[in-house]
């Protein structure tokens, strides 16, 4: 599928590419250009956000930012408000649906 630009919620330099539909969910590739952001919004269903390239700053309901690098992930509950931005640009895979993540530590613990 082709990437589409997204400007909802004040998002900037943000593209979305649907990748696959899985049992009770979807996998999507997200890209942020340098200085890009995905504006604050609530998830529709549980969401695993896994950075595969670049760096991201994510915040959940509490608004506290946590730095994620490749191989790091964030998990948001259904209905949870969250936001993502990147100073240098990044690519992430997002799994939405019946997500059961095996996160050893929270991003805050890894600093």
């Amino acid at each position: 599928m082709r990437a589409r630009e997204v400007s909802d919620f004040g998002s900037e330099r943000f593209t979305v590419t649907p990748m696959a539909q899985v049992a009770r969910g979807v996998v999507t590739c997200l890209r942020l250009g340098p200085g890009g952001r995905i504006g604050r919004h609530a998830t529709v269903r549980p969401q695993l956000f896994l950075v595969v390239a670049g760096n991201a700053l994510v915040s959940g309901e509490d608004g506290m930012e946590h730095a994620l690098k490749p191989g790091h992930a964030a998990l948001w509950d259904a209905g949870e408000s969250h936001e993502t931005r990147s100073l240098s640009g990044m690519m992430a895979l997002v799994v939405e649906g019946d997500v059961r993540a095996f996160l050893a530590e929270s991003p805050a613990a890894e600093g």
Side-chain angles (χ1 to χ4, degrees):
M1 294 201 93
R2 173 174 267 159
R4 71 176 174 84
E5 291 187 37
V6 178
S7 59
D8 299 348
F9 314 108
S11 299
E12 302 174 57
R13 294 178 278 292
F14 172 39
T15 63
V16 174
T17 307
M19 302 299 286
Q21 185 167 356
V22 294
R24 295 183 301 246
V26 295
V27 178
T28 307
C29 180
L30 306 182
R31 289 182 176 84
L32 284 177
R37 76 181 186 106
I38 302 169
R40 183 160 296 279
H41 64 284
T43 60
V44 174
R45 48 192 166 191
Q47 185 178 96
L48 176 68
F49 177 93
L50 175 64
V51 176
V52 295
N55 294 287
L57 295 166
V58 300
S59 62
E61 209 57 62
D62 63 6
M64 287 185 55
E65 284 192 326
H66 302 281
L68 299 181
K69 60 186 180 182
H72 286 194
L75 179 63
W76 292 297
D77 292 324
E80 185 174 355
S81 173
H82 65 288
E83 184 173 39
T84 302
R85 62 188 189 97
S86 179
L87 302 175
S88 60
M90 66 102 221
M91 181 171 64
L93 291 178
V94 171
V95 180
E96 293 179 273
D98 189 12
V99 177
R100 288 178 181 82
F102 300 103
L103 301 179
E105 298 180 36
S106 71
E110 296 181 18

